[in-house]
Amino acid sequence: MTRIAFLGLGHMGLPMAVNLMRAGHDVRGFDLVPAALEAARQEGITIADSGTDAASTADVVITMFPAGRHVIDAYEGGLLAAAPPGTLFIESSTIAVDEAQAAHELAVRAGHRSVDAPVSGGVVGAENGTLAFMVGGSAEDFAAALPALEIMGARIVHCGGPGLGQAAKVCNNMILAVSQIAVAEAFVLGERLGLEHQALFDVVSEASGQCWSVTTNCPVPGPVPTSPANRDYQPGFAGSLMAKDLGLALQAIEQTATDARMGRLAQEIYALFAAGDGARRDFSGIITEIRDASSGRRASRSQADWNQNVRSRR
């Protein structure tokens, strides 16, 4: 049995913490949101008085926060000082690569071990313990984190040194965003050409266009009964989260001077989607924007219009 402090008990963090508890670990949780604490209490998670209280007796501290600044603030605000020497910090938020590296340095200077381990797989993966973890850190720290990660996930990949788990997450989600837009555009084009959704799915799902955005997250109802399209695009993975992740991708693109035109365009499209109702809808709901623009219910925008609107919202 390992003593685990789990900080951040939202839609992803709570089921992850529950899986650790059910595996026999001593889990103490904390969240700043009262409703999240109550939901965790009802699941049987022991609730600490604060994050530092939870960390004070922990062997492992897992953080699942909204943004990098929350991680750095928590680390510098007493979390690292409260933890026993040599505590393993598993940072599972999705944050910028340089923020993950800064958090790692803070943890090491405080006498702890540290890995960044962002996740992919959504709420369903968190509930089922089938998440994918992309892990950055030393081989020794990766090995130490593996027993906990294997309870929460089905695929755990050591991506390299500190921050490279986040690098893999950024690259993966940029691919996902671009492919989801392309799939949505293809289905709208098929509609306008007279193709039935099922016919197009039957071809693409077994042909060279096959991808996760077709076979799992199909943006139209029917062909994949478990996709968000069958429940009016309830997430899933919300548009606001995809927009956030693509903002991190854009930051990395600019820092590395990478010629990533599709990534930039995907970021612009999802930033506008998340500025409206798309923030609360699954990111596959982008098909409704494409359909509306194609049918004249919303005027299509030139590239300059997209750029100006995105800049004005930053």
Side-chain angles (χ1 to χ4, degrees), residues 136-307:
S138 70
E140 294 78 12
D141 290 346
F142 171 72
L146 198 54
L149 299 181
E150 287 179 331
I151 293 168
M152 299 180 288
R155 180 164 172 77
I156 298 95
V157 179
H158 187 202
C159 299
L164 294 185
Q166 296 291 351
K169 175 70 182 288
V170 163
C171 293
N172 178 78
N173 277 23
M174 187 173 75
I175 294 170
L176 176 59
V178 171
S179 67
Q180 192 71 61
I181 293 168
V183 168
E185 289 179 348
F187 270 93
V188 173
L189 177 60
E191 291 169 359
R192 298 175 73 78
L193 290 170
L195 267 175
E196 294 290 335
H197 290 159
Q198 188 65 52
L200 181 57
F201 175 85
D202 289 344
V203 170
V204 175
S205 63
E206 298 292 338
S208 55
Q210 188 276 329
C211 60
W212 187 91
S213 296
V214 171
T215 57
T216 299
N217 219 47
C218 185
V220 297
V224 181
T226 56
S227 77
N230 296 278
R231 54 179 190 272
D232 195 28
Y233 301 101
Q234 296 176 31
F237 186 57
S240 59
L241 296 177
M242 177 55 85
K244 172 204 164 186
D245 287 2
L246 288 171
L248 298 176
L250 179 62
Q251 180 180 330
I253 288 167
E254 293 178 343
Q255 287 175 344
T256 58
T258 301
D259 183 14
R261 282 168 282 181
M262 296 302 295
R264 288 179 182 275
L265 182 57
Q267 186 273 330
E268 293 166 2
I269 291 171
Y270 271 108
L272 284 173
F273 180 63
D277 290 342
R280 296 175 296 278
R281 307 184 84 192
D282 188 79
F283 77 106
S284 61
I286 195 70
I287 192 172
T288 61
E289 296 288 305
I290 297 165
R291 191 179 285 127
D292 286 350
S294 301
S295 62
R297 289 193 292 270
R298 177 177 62 77
S300 60
R301 298 182 175 113
S302 68
Q303 185 64 57
D305 291 333
W306 280 101
N307 293 341

Side-chain angles (χ1 to χ4, degrees), residues 83-151:
T87 296
L88 175 63
F89 280 77
I90 300 176
E91 212 306 283
S92 285
S93 318
T94 296
I95 62 178
V97 174
D98 57 353
E99 291 173 326
Q101 292 169 336
H104 172 81
E105 289 301 318
L106 287 170
V108 170
R109 284 204 300 266
H112 303 301
R113 296 172 293 164
S114 170
V115 297
D116 52 287
V119 305
S120 179
V123 175
V124 172
E127 292 172 344
N128 295 335
T130 57
L131 293 169
F133 283 90
M134 296 142 275
V135 187
S138 70
E140 294 78 12
D141 290 346
F142 171 72
L146 198 54
L149 299 181
E150 287 179 331
I151 293 168

